[in-house]
Amino acid sequence: RNIPFTEKIAVIGAGPAGLSCAFYLAEKGYKPVVFEKNERPGGMLTYGIPSFKLEKDVIEAEVEVIRLMGAEFRYGVEVGRDVTLDELREQGFKAFYVAIGCQGGRLAGIPGEDAEDVTVAVDFLRELNSGKIDALPGRTIVVGGGNVSMDATRTALRLGAESVTCVYRRRVEDMTALAEEIEEAMAEGCQILPLQAPARIEADENGCVTALWTRPQHIGPYGNDGRPKPVAADAPEFRIPCDYVIVAIGQAIEAKPFEAVGVTTQRGAIQADLTSAVPGLDNVF
């Protein structure tokens, strides 16, 4: 097509999904505008994945290609807070692609999580990639068995942690992290402690974490998801002294600004039909 499409389209979020959308829109002749609340594009590629796994200049090169294809990037603008969908409609935007990702972390819901130096992995990795963390002395515990937990584990080792222990409530073979990630973390010095479920966090008189208490588990029947369920074992709680606890048990969307304008969420996910359109909203995908 030689004649470019003239409809203004807003892409909300410059992570992998938003960048992909902008690329294909630009390829078709549109000139999409990408709104990103952070100061750099890439989303979790930039702020979540450690540089030892993905160099940031690779992301910047990809974004530059998309920009040269005709996409415009506006950084430091959070749609829903700095500007609303209605205001963007008034500016002439005809369609919206919501690609906000899962920027929030989830805690385990155990007593003591409000102690100092207890954090979620996505926040820990974001601060690292933003240049706010350059060292992590002391004993570190990472809770979880996925790829993000391995990222946090291997990052903590690189930041000079005295020791890093990954606590997981199932067996090592049940971890959802890639096998090579687990092997590399162990080769780099991480200890994996399986069949231990977090029970509570112990803190000192100043509110600083001093230990994670876990409840021993054994493997029970398989659930509907095809994975074995951990079941509390008849054994006493186990105390693991530590200075930092990083929780990596899942992520969540931050959709309140969109819920305020009619975007429906259910169980932590934006509801959309099979075409990816959000029901009840005009040209929101």
Side-chain angles (χ1 to χ4, degrees):
R1 181 183 171 94
N2 296 321
I3 302 174
F5 290 94
T6 58
E7 292 89 350
K8 293 178 68 175
I9 301 177
V11 177
I12 304 169
L19 293 176
S20 297
C21 179
F23 172 85
Y24 287 110
L25 286 172
E27 192 176 53
K28 287 182 177 295
Y30 290 100
K31 294 186 180 299
V33 179
V34 183
F35 295 88
E36 170 56 49
K37 69 176 183 179
N38 293 307
E39 298 303 320
R40 291 185 292 167
M44 296 302 287
L45 298 176
T46 297
Y47 292 98
I49 298 179
S51 293
F52 68 83
K53 290 179 63 177
L54 176 63
E55 292 293 344
K56 306 311 176 189
D57 56 0
V58 174
I59 305 168
E60 294 167 1
E62 292 288 334
V63 172
E64 181 63 11
V65 169
I66 298 171
R67 188 188 67 79
L68 291 173
M69 291 174 66
E72 177 186 345
F73 289 85
R74 299 182 188 177
Y75 301 116
V77 180
E78 184 173 359
V79 175
R81 299 187 190 277
D82 300 318
V83 61
T84 66
L85 291 182
D86 286 341
E87 289 171 336
L88 290 177
R89 290 188 194 279
E90 292 173 0
Q91 295 175 23
F93 286 93
K94 302 299 184 182
F96 306 87
Y97 181 69
V98 181
I100 57 176
C102 295
Q103 301 294 323
R106 294 196 294 116
L107 289 168
I110 59 175
E113 286 180 329
D114 57 348
E116 189 73 21
D117 293 324
V118 175
T119 187
V120 292
V122 288
D123 290 345
F124 167 67
L125 293 169
R126 184 181 298 116
E127 290 190 357
L128 168 78
N129 287 311
S130 299
K132 297 178 181 179
I133 300 177
D134 55 14
L136 193 71
R139 301 158 297 181
T140 300
I141 290 176
V142 178
V143 178
N147 286 314
V148 175
S149 73
M150 293 298 98
D151 287 346
T153 294
R154 299 175 67 191
T155 295
L157 288 166
R158 283 165 171 74
L159 290 174
E162 178 183 325
S163 65
V164 180
T165 302
C166 178
V167 173
Y168 185 54
R169 62 180 183 157
R170 292 183 172 93
R171 301 166 299 188
V172 173
E173 56 263 38
D174 301 320
M175 294 175 71
T176 57
L178 297 174
E180 55 264 34
E181 290 286 334
I182 299 170
E183 293 170 3
E184 289 175 9
M186 295 176 68
E188 291 170 9
C190 166
Q191 177 187 1
I192 297 180
L193 190 62
L195 293 172
Q196 296 288 336
R200 55 192 170 91
I201 292 173
E202 177 185 317
D204 61 18
E205 64 275 7
N206 297 316
C208 297
V209 61
T210 56
L212 173 71
W213 286 84
T214 62
R215 186 176 296 109
Q217 307 286 297
H218 66 81
I219 291 300
Y222 281 73
N224 294 330
D225 58 357
R227 303 185 67 206
K229 291 185 177 181
V231 179
D234 184 15
E237 290 185 348
F238 185 65
R239 183 181 186 271
I240 313 171
C242 62
D243 304 292
Y244 301 93
V245 174
I246 302 171
V247 182
I249 60 171
Q251 294 166 227
I253 64 172
E254 298 175 352
K256 287 186 178 180
F258 295 95
E259 291 173 346
V261 296
V263 174
T264 302
T265 60
Q266 184 177 357
R267 300 175 67 180
I270 292 177
Q271 298 302 292
D273 63 25
L274 294 178
T275 70
S276 83
V278 177
L281 294 179
D282 184 28
N283 288 335
V284 177
F285 300 88

